[in-house]
Amino acid sequence: LSWHRGKLGNVELVIADTNTLRSGTDHAGVEKADDDGTLTISGSGTLEAYGGQGGAGIGSGSQKGCSNIVIESGTITARGGEWGAGIGSGNVGNRPGVLGGSNITINDGDVTAYGGSEAAGIGGGLKGNGKDITINGGTVIAAGGKEAAGIGGGDSGSSENITITGGTVTAKGGSYGAGIGGGYWGDYKSGNGGKDITINGGTVTATGGYLGAGIGGGGIGMYDGYTNGENITINGGTVTATGGDRGAGIGGGS
């Protein structure tokens, strides 16, 4: 690995060979918390990143949000620790103003992301939102832990503005989580359990866990009028969406 730091905290991580990074408790394997900069990962090598308890595989540690991650290439496996997303935020807990994992873009590469318990594969950790996630190409596999989406929100986290324009994407939610969209409960405080999901191209396979939609809301995402699977648009591509028990293929969870 090599790191190059640019203006405003921008960092480029170049993968040149085979690398394994592990962190301790409360930290991510490759740590990127909220700040003004962007973490860009590129190269032709292999990276395995493991978060400690509360931390993401790639993203933020515990009690911190994560934004502005771009993956350009490489073979990458990111596994969150308990309550941490594979790529995105760590355990957000009840910290006010911490939103989760946002502004995550994958342009190419072979990317596999596993969320820890109650954390998304790509998106929010426990009680973290998954927002502004874009996949433009590559081969992407994302699996959420218990009560979390494959791509989107962690347990009790909302999911908004997920866009897929190309590549091969396989997303599987844990129990009560959507394949792509909301985690368990969506966000019971502000709603948006799987909102504004757009597929313009690529090959997409999305499978919801028990009570979760394939694409849309997680289990119990509609609560006292909060939304659960809203504004889902498919303009192109090959899409297979399978809901879990009591969940829609495309639309709302239980």
Side-chain angles (χ1 to χ4, degrees):
L1 294 174
S2 63
W3 284 267
H4 305 279
R5 186 173 295 278
K7 296 180 179 179
L8 299 176
N10 293 333
V11 175
E12 183 178 5
L13 187 155
V14 180
I15 310 167
D17 47 19
T18 300
N19 308 269
T20 300
L21 298 177
R22 298 179 184 273
S23 72
T25 300
D26 294 335
H27 290 281
V30 175
E31 193 149 323
K32 165 67 171 72
D34 278 332
D35 58 33
D36 292 332
T38 297
L39 169 65
T40 302
I41 300 175
S42 63
S44 58
T46 299
L47 170 64
E48 294 184 4
Y50 298 87
Q53 185 181 53
I58 298 174
S60 64
S62 181
Q63 303 296 309
K64 296 179 180 179
C66 172
S67 61
N68 304 327
I69 294 176
V70 178
I71 296 176
E72 296 286 1
S73 58
T75 299
I76 297 168
T77 300
R79 187 182 293 272
E82 188 175 18
W83 312 311
I87 301 173
S89 77
N91 170 30
V92 172
N94 292 313
R95 185 178 176 191
V98 176
L99 299 179
S102 63
N103 294 319
I104 300 168
T105 301
I106 298 173
N107 290 321
D108 205 347
D110 292 318
V111 179
T112 302
Y114 299 102
S117 179
E118 301 176 82
I122 300 174
L126 172 61
K127 296 189 177 180
N129 303 335
K131 184 177 180 182
D132 300 327
I133 299 169
T134 302
I135 299 173
N136 295 316
T139 300
V140 178
I141 299 172
K146 180 186 71 172
E147 301 183 359
I151 300 174
D155 179 14
S156 301
S158 69
S159 170
E160 297 180 68
N161 301 328
I162 298 173
T163 303
I164 298 172
T165 64
T168 300
V169 179
T170 303
K172 181 175 177 59
S175 295
Y176 307 104
I180 299 173
Y184 187 43
W185 287 102
D187 183 342
Y188 64 91
K189 295 180 180 179
S190 64
N192 304 331
K195 179 181 179 183
D196 299 332
I197 300 169
T198 303
I199 299 173
N200 293 317
T203 300
V204 179
T205 302
T207 305
Y210 174 67
L211 303 186
I215 299 174
I220 318 183
M222 174 172 267
Y223 182 74
D224 287 348
Y226 295 133
T227 59
N228 176 22
E230 181 181 21
N231 298 335
I232 299 169
T233 304
I234 299 174
N235 294 314
T238 301
V239 179
T240 303
T242 306
D245 187 17
R246 306 183 193 179
I250 299 173
S254 171

